Amino acid sequence: MAWNTGGGSSDSGGGFTGPEMKKSLVEIGLADSHTYIHVNCTHHNDQTNLRVAVELVYGSGGLAERNVSQLIHAFSDTQNLFDGKIEAIPMMTSAWKFVRGANSEPPREFLAMMQEPILTRWGTVGEACRYTETYLDVVLAFTRALCGSRKKASAISQCASNFNSLAAVDEILVNLGFLADFDRHFFHDHLEFNHSTDENIGSAGFLPHHHLVRYFITNQE
C-alpha cells in the first residue's frame, strides 16, 4: 500500500502528513507498518531531482551566465517585456511569415507566451526547451528584428541580444536539443501521468494507488 502527499508538514494546510497518515491507519488496523510505503511529494521530488542535475551539469540562469538555462530565460524575459499578447503577437507573426513563407500561418503553440522556466518546476524548463528548439529559426528572426528596431539600451533589445549571442554557441544548442528531447520523449509523459485523471475515481494527480506500479514499470524500461 502506498500513499502520496503533496506537503511535508501538517501545518502547511494540507491536513495529515504522510507519516501521520501511516501511523493513524496502522493504529486502526487498515495498514501494516512493514508493507505500507509513504511516497512523499512524488511530483515535486521528480522535478527537484532534475533541477539539481541541470544546475550541476549546465548551471542555472543569470545575466552573467552563458548556458542553456540562460538561453531559455533570455527569450522568456524578452516576451515578458512586451505589453501582453496584443503587442507581441503581430511581431511574432511577422517573423513567422518572414522565415516560413508569407502564406504560412503560425500555429497557436508558437504564438503562446512562454511560461517562465523555473528549475524547481522542471516541467516549465522542458516546455521552454521544446518550444525554443522547435521554433529556433523563427525565434531568432524575431529577436534579431527586435535588436534592429529598438534602442540598444532598451531592456527588450538587451534581452533579445543576449538570446542571439547565446544561440550562436554550438554547445548551448546541443544542450538545448538534449533537454528538449529528454522532455519530449521521457519526462513530459510522466508529468502528464501525475496530472491525469483516474477514470475509475474521477480524481486528478497524486494518485496513491498508481505510484508504486508506475515506478515498477519505469524501472523495468
Side-chain angles (χ1 to χ4, degrees):
M1 183 177 186
W3 185 266
N4 177 273
T5 105
S9 65
S10 58
D11 53 357
S12 64
F16 279 122
T17 64
E20 289 172 345
M21 179 68 75
K22 174 181 177 178
K23 180 180 178 181
S24 298
L25 292 175
V26 169
E27 286 177 351
I28 60 177
L30 293 179
D32 184 277
S33 61
H34 299 292
T35 60
Y36 183 101
I37 299 175
H38 169 231
V39 186
N40 184 45
C41 300
T42 306
H43 179 64
H44 176 70
N45 288 343
D46 285 345
Q47 301 196 75
T48 299
N49 289 335
L50 289 170
R51 179 207 72 187
V52 174
V54 169
E55 287 178 336
L56 290 176
V57 176
Y58 304 110
S60 56
L63 290 177
E65 303 297 329
R66 295 189 61 78
N67 54 38
V68 66
S69 300
Q70 181 56 25
L71 175 75
I72 57 177
H73 269 289
F75 184 67
S76 173
D77 291 343
T78 300
Q79 280 191 323
N80 289 336
L81 287 169
F82 280 92
D83 185 17
K85 291 184 177 181
I86 294 177
E87 184 183 7
I89 284 181
M91 292 194 67
M92 294 176 68
T93 301
S94 295
W96 179 274
K97 290 180 176 292
F98 176 77
V99 175
R100 302 290 176 95
N103 296 323
S104 175
E105 293 298 327
R108 181 180 302 177
E109 291 78 10
F110 172 71
L111 296 178
M113 303 296 282
M114 181 191 294
Q115 181 176 347
E116 180 184 359
I118 303 172
L119 280 175
T120 53
R121 297 292 182 268
W122 204 91
T124 63
V125 174
E127 182 178 335
C129 287
R130 282 189 289 113
Y131 179 98
T132 305
E133 186 217 26
T134 301
Y135 303 118
L136 181 61
D137 55 342
V138 185
V139 170
L140 279 170
F142 174 62
T143 53
R144 287 167 180 165
L146 290 176
C147 290
S149 62
R150 304 291 176 116
K151 292 183 178 179
K152 189 174 182 179
S154 69
I156 286 182
S157 180
Q158 289 181 352
C159 285
S161 178
N162 184 219
F163 178 87
N164 294 339
S165 175
L166 294 169
V169 180
D170 289 340
E171 182 179 354
I172 292 178
L173 294 185
V174 169
N175 295 338
L176 175 69
F178 173 78
L179 292 178
D181 280 347
F182 175 80
D183 186 72
R184 182 180 295 116
H185 298 296
F186 180 77
F187 184 75
H188 179 73
D189 287 345
H190 289 278
L191 186 64
E192 287 299 302
F193 167 80
N194 281 328
H195 287 164
S196 63
T197 299
D198 185 301
E199 60 182 12
N200 297 308
I201 63 176
S203 296
F206 297 99
L207 304 176
H209 57 288
H210 285 175
H211 281 286
L212 288 185
V213 176
R214 186 72 174 181
Y215 278 117
F216 174 80
I217 294 173
T218 300
N219 289 333
Q220 303 308 304
E221 293 179 350

